[in-house]
């Protein structure tokens, strides 16, 4: 195995972990509807940032960047949508 | 401005947003100590993933990847540490 393949593997492992990490958060939020401790600022800025990463991947034609950020964008946007929806519900309940 | 510089700018904007996004989450968690809706699984896997991104940046000698992931690692590890500490406190309080 060359040094090149080793660093590629490191990059793939890093991308897999950072992308997959949003799955337990999306599932926890979906299951508990507990969004008071989740930052609207974080998920607004993060979702926009991931959309730009996706655009960057498309611009340079890099399939791993496109795929990883499509998955992360779906999960981050879901968490953001739940944050907005459940915060509105919490405000109505007072 | 060349097409190359344009895609570079897109990548820098993406990196800045995804890195900066963890600042409002770290601040919200520090201020409110409200961690019940924050996923331990997410921050464990995410922090490990960012550490691997940092190792990848060092391996390929890419300064922007190193700097962005050093900042994100600091913020994500802080949120993870607060999640662990405040969850333990919540359990003691019952």
């Amino acid at each position: 195995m060359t040094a090149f393949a080793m660093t590629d593997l490191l990059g793939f492992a890093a991308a897999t972990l950072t992308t997959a990490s949003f799955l337990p958060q999306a599932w926890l939020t979906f299951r508990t509807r507990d969004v008071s401790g989740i930052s609207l600022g974080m998920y607004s800025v993060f979702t926009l940032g991931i959309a730009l990463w996706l655009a960057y991947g498309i611009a340079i034609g890099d399939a791993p960047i496109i795929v990883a950020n499509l998955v992360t964008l779906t999960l981050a946007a879901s968490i953001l949508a739940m944050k907005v929806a459940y915060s509105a519900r919490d405000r109505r309940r007072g």
Side-chain angles (χ1 to χ4, degrees), chain A residues 2-77:
Chain A
T2 66
F4 178 72
M6 279 293 285
T7 54
D8 271 3
L9 276 180
L10 191 58
F12 283 129
T16 302
L17 289 183
T18 50
T19 292
S21 69
F22 287 89
L23 205 58
Q25 179 65 66
W27 176 242
L28 178 74
T29 305
F30 177 75
R31 198 162 46 79
T32 63
R33 269 81 175 146
D34 179 357
V35 293
S36 62
I38 285 180
S39 164
L40 178 64
M42 171 186 161
Y43 280 94
S44 304
V45 175
F46 187 79
T47 302
L48 180 62
I50 293 296
L52 292 192
W53 273 123
L54 179 60
Y56 178 73
I58 293 169
I60 67 169
D62 185 296
I65 294 183
I66 294 171
V67 172
N69 285 289
L70 261 181
V71 176
T72 309
L73 183 62
T74 304
L75 293 168

Side-chain angles (χ1 to χ4, degrees), chain A residues 35 80-90 92:
Chain A
V35 293
L80 176 61
M82 288 190 282
K83 167 67 184 175
V84 171
Y86 301 148
S87 293
R89 175 209 60 180
D90 292 346
R92 280 197 305 276

